[in-house]
Amino acid sequence: MHRRTLLSTAAAAVAVAGGTAGCVGSSEVVATVQRSVSVRPGQGWIEELPDVSDPGGAIRYRAKADRPFDVYFFASEESFMFYDTYTDGDEPALTPNGDGDVSASAEEVAEDTYVAETHDGGARQPIDDSGPYYFVVDHSGYRGENQPRSEQPSPLDVFVDLTVTRRKLI
């Protein structure tokens, strides 16, 4: 009898804790990509992402290739247009580097293996600005970083694991 009371009390405590955790809020996935992409030299692979600023959102990604590359996260259409101007072959007035908390240069983690990911080992990074947002895997040498190699560079194959979430208040 004592064991039944103890078990039912424990089950009630778990139910209450689980119910209260839901009131604080949870996240819903609004965009996800998990696939290999091919990026032509002088270009970028671009994924337009929905606005998750209200009540708040986050991004997490990990991109992996056999050569250096850059990832840019533009939190405004205006800053993205400078990048777009550059990859169209024109000289933009500015070359913004995107959101510094999300954008990253791929680092060599093993021989012929380069990884770019959200800071702190791929932790989710909050998105505070209103969207739309532009996630770019760059193979153009934008900002003079990670220029495509050789005079006849080949496409860059990158595996992208990207998730964007929006906070839900319950």
Side-chain angles (χ1 to χ4, degrees):
M1 181 73 159
H2 180 65
R3 183 172 180 257
R4 280 189 209 161
T5 305
L6 180 64
L7 290 176
S8 64
T9 304
V14 168
V16 168
T20 351
C23 293
V24 173
S26 61
S27 296
E28 72 173 307
V29 174
V30 296
T32 186
V33 174
Q34 289 183 322
R35 66 183 174 100
S36 289
V37 299
S38 184
V39 188
R40 291 189 334 247
Q43 298 297 307
W45 176 81
I46 301 161
E47 183 75 11
E48 185 174 346
L49 303 170
D51 187 348
V52 293
S53 61
D54 187 25
I59 184 170
R60 181 200 56 77
Y61 73 88
R62 186 170 202 266
K64 181 175 159 184
D66 65 352
R67 292 177 276 163
F69 62 95
D70 294 295
V71 169
Y72 297 104
F73 179 75
F74 297 103
S76 75
E77 191 165 6
E78 180 183 352
S79 62
F80 172 72
M81 293 312 295
F82 291 112
Y83 177 83
D84 195 44
T85 298
Y86 177 83
T87 57
D88 282 346
D90 296 325
E91 283 294 319
L94 300 170
T95 54
N97 63 351
D99 183 313
D101 290 335
V102 180
S103 299
S105 290
E107 296 182 11
E108 189 171 21
V109 295
E111 187 175 338
D112 295 331
T113 303
Y114 293 82
V115 172
E117 62 187 350
T118 42
H119 301 289
D120 297 328
R124 292 188 317 169
Q125 295 294 316
I127 301 172
D128 298 323
D129 301 311
S130 59
Y133 318 104
Y134 301 89
F135 180 85
V136 178
V137 175
D138 182 63
H139 188 44
S140 72
Y142 176 71
R143 296 181 48 83
E145 301 165 353
N146 290 319
Q147 296 284 344
R149 296 177 182 169
S150 82
E151 289 185 25
Q152 294 290 340
S154 59
L156 175 69
D157 294 320
V158 182
F159 184 82
V160 176
D161 182 359
L162 165 70
T163 304
V164 177
T165 56
R166 174 180 309 155
R167 212 173 7 203
K168 292 188 327 184
L169 300 176
I170 299 173

